[in-house]
Amino acid sequence: MKFDVLTLFPEYFEVLKQSIIGRAIKNGLIEVNITNIRDFSKDKHSKVDDAPYGGGAGMVLMPNVVYDAYKALDGNDNPRVIYLSPQGKQLNQNKVIELSKEKHLILLCGHYEGIDQRVLDEIVDEEISIGDYVLTGGELPAMVLIDSVSRYVEGVLSDDSSKEESFSEGLLEYPQYTRPEEFLSKKVPEVLISGNHSNINKWRRKEAIRNTFLKRPDLLKKIELSEEDKKALKEIENECQNWFWPLIFRN
Ligand code: 4GX
């Protein structure tokens, strides 16, 4: 899968050379090409922005430079052009999976007060936001998108953990433990040491449901629970109803 990024700050994307995404790039599983929009300025001082028509604070990226940078990319494979902006539809795991099926994405990163509307209307297929807060530019959102989408590209995750984990099933994860068996007087849950894999799976499923019930009850409403899941949820609700009795009967 290929990502083309149009940005004024190419240095940001050095971060993608790290860890799992860095390895995926090295292995040729994903390709990330960064284009500096400034390279397409025809101005002798490499000017890329100007004051907004109508007045007001800040600067606006000029349409011709953005358009020329876009035109210089290979568009033969019908790439999808995404503009990262708080005005877009919010990114979620379903959108991430949908995007991971594309061959080529072009990510346009805005800065300053934004980009001239005419070039956006001309080239952008879709506006995506990573959440309701304001950043200084679209670079971090572009990296969030590249990271989350790349995880679904075949071979990027060494095992098949992307299929197992949080959100793919609509539940949060169960808690994890590793050595030592005792830490600050806290023991690893007995069942995990038992070696009984049927019991371990049941316990993990219940704890995933508990985490979701306690931390993200909104997610629990969106998914279909099996009869066994519903039983586990009832037990959790009862456990929650009873937790304060030891406090009341203290002394
Ligand atoms: N999720 N930003 C885009 C440039 C800009 C300024 C004004 C339109 C109007 C963001 C987000 C985000 C900051 C990226 C402003 N665009 N992008 N940038 N949240 O905050 O995606």
Side-chain angles (χ1 to χ4, degrees), residues 83-86 110-114 128-131 133-135 137-138 141:
Y83 178 47
L84 290 311
S85 132
H111 245 273
Y112 312 111
E113 291 309 300
I128 293 181
S129 165
I130 63 158
Y133 37 80
V134 184
L135 301 165

Side-chain angles (χ1 to χ4, degrees), residues 107-198:
L107 307 179
L108 176 57
C109 307
H111 245 273
Y112 312 111
E113 291 309 300
I115 303 178
D116 187 288
Q117 190 61 41
R118 291 166 295 179
V119 71
L120 295 179
D121 293 343
E122 184 65 27
I123 70 173
V124 173
D125 295 311
E126 185 170 14
E127 232 172 309
I128 293 181
S129 165
I130 63 158
D132 288 339
Y133 37 80
V134 184
L135 301 165
T136 56
E139 285 75 15
L140 290 171
M143 282 190 276
V144 166
L145 193 147
I146 292 169
D147 187 286
S148 55
V149 169
S150 297
R151 294 178 68 260
Y152 283 90
V153 173
E154 191 69 37
V156 169
L157 298 185
S158 39
D159 47 26
D160 43 18
S161 42
S162 72
K163 279 142 205 155
E164 205 184 287
E165 101 229 301
S166 191
F167 284 111
S168 42
E169 273 195 290
L171 287 177
L172 299 183
E173 281 167 40
Y174 51 80
Q176 299 275 20
Y177 298 88
T178 186
R179 279 184 281 276
E181 226 179 280
E182 189 175 325
F183 169 70
L184 301 179
S185 307
K186 295 173 209 283
K187 291 212 165 72
V188 171
E190 201 58 51
V191 57
L192 298 180
I193 307 163
S194 70
N196 183 330
H197 282 279
S198 160

